[in-house]
Amino acid sequence: MKTLWENVLKHISTRMNPSSFQTWFAPTRQASFEDRLLTVAVPDKYFVNWLEEQYRDTIIEILHTLTGQALEIAFVISEVPLSPPISREAFPEASESTISQPAPSVPNVQHDEDPGLNPKYTFDTYVVGGSNQFAHAASVAVAEQPSKAYNPLFIYGGVGLGKTHLMHAIGHTLQDANIPGFRLYYLSSERFMNELINAIRYDTIQQFRDKYRNIDLLLIDDIQFIAGKERTQEEFFHTFNALHNAQKQIVISSDCPPKKIPTLEERLRSRFEWGLIADIQPPDFETKVAILRKKAETEGIELSNEVAMYIATKIKSNIRALEGCLTKIAAHSKFAKQPITMDLARKVLDDILDSTESATAKNITVELIQEIVAGHYKIKTQDMKTSTRLRTIAFPRQVAMYLSRKLTTLSLPSVGKHFGGKDHTTIMYACQKIEALLQNDPNFQQELEHLEQTIRS
């Protein structure tokens, strides 16, 4: 019979990527469950602190879902070494590579190793406009002359504006050049951190360092996530130095310039500013139309200029939202077996466009959302920024997080900053929880609609 903690793990494994699950949850075990307190054994103090800070709220919610009771969770350091003997049968959602080995090793980088590039993200599929022309030109220069043009190249901009696309395009160009012995790797800063933690835990730190310090091109995305993580910053600092001293190319992306990344060590900040800093702004009207036409051409979608201009006029946020609208229209066209017309576009996107247009026109801020939600639930606005887990405060805070994500164009980390520096995973979980409630609770759906109307009015 499964323990309560094993049932919790089954739920958690469906909510997060396999790498994070393997890192934080696979090497844990239920120690005891009595008097409404679930005690979980973990490998060390680092686990205790991290699980308390990042996942406690999520676990409490899952426990309530499973038992219908308000339970508490406590993490203790195991007296015996813990390895992850979790079977695939117990957690079918996790991939084979996630839980098949008790001590995942860090492989040596080989020329034929998968560098983690998306085949769709090339310079040929990137639409250049006034908002991204400088970042594009800098990326092309780096791809043509790695470590000689700009090193490091630091690209920053809002969510969904094409930073990742440019990084992959650089990688593809150099990969296709077939330079003898040339090695490259693309990854997110979160994956860098998770691999580092595994390397420390399983005493494979030298293999980890060999992997990332003996390549010719390192492409690391969303570097802002290492802010405040001292051990990760320390390791990345030395990785940066090793590559830069060896005249190897480094390309970094972030949602803001180095000087605005909070709790980033000064020595890293200064190194990020050694090379070239290029920003990407939201696309102008002409660029948005060109992006839609390019997307339609690539996907084999018949799209008229009239419909493309209509979508470009209405969508104010980012390229991801722009392409998402086109995908939704194309799906309805396919299922209804109708051509894409203006009537179909208006019918399909009416709710999305009205919401986006209204939010942009009213210049909705997180502070406004917090104030209105706090008033509705009769709590103090300042309570939104605390870490208290009292439901009378935690639930309104999650509602405000969801509305902030929906009604503004801020990224998950940016929203988190307005709620007392919450981690992006906390914001993500809050959004998932509210979305689930909306699907199952008609009364709450009406309540949230009322809040949205109040915020927009």
Side-chain angles (χ1 to χ4, degrees), residues 110-164:
Q110 301 296 328
H111 181 59
D112 58 353
E113 182 182 350
D114 181 10
L117 300 177
N118 187 325
K120 294 184 179 180
Y121 291 165
T122 67
F123 284 125
D124 289 338
T125 59
Y126 193 83
V127 178
V128 183
S131 60
N132 59 22
Q133 188 174 18
F134 180 63
H136 173 266
S139 299
V140 171
V142 165
E144 292 176 346
Q145 291 186 309
S147 75
K148 295 180 180 178
Y150 309 109
N151 196 21
L153 173 60
F154 190 101
I155 305 172
Y156 75 91
V159 175
L161 295 183
K163 303 184 300 294
T164 300

Side-chain angles (χ1 to χ4, degrees), residues 323-393:
E323 293 182 338
C325 285
L326 178 58
T327 300
K328 188 172 184 179
I329 291 174
H332 278 263
S333 171
K334 179 180 178 180
F335 294 137
K337 297 182 179 180
Q338 299 177 13
I340 296 178
T341 62
M342 282 293 293
D343 288 340
L344 178 64
R346 289 194 184 99
K347 180 181 178 181
V348 172
L349 300 179
D350 188 47
D351 291 340
I352 296 175
L353 296 176
D354 284 348
S355 174
T356 304
E357 190 174 28
S358 176
T360 303
K362 295 299 293 182
N363 193 25
I364 294 173
T365 64
V366 175
E367 288 75 18
L368 174 64
I369 293 171
Q370 289 175 333
E371 181 180 347
I372 291 175
V373 173
H376 177 78
Y377 289 103
K378 296 179 173 56
I379 64 173
K380 297 178 181 179
T381 304
Q382 191 61 32
D383 291 337
M384 295 283 183
K385 301 178 182 180
T386 67
S387 297
T388 179
R389 298 183 182 91
L390 291 173
R391 179 172 173 77
T392 53
I393 293 176

Side-chain angles (χ1 to χ4, degrees), residues 393-405:
I393 293 176
F395 182 71
R397 185 169 61 226
Q398 290 173 331
V399 170
M401 288 176 177
Y402 169 81
L403 291 173
S404 297
R405 182 64 172 154

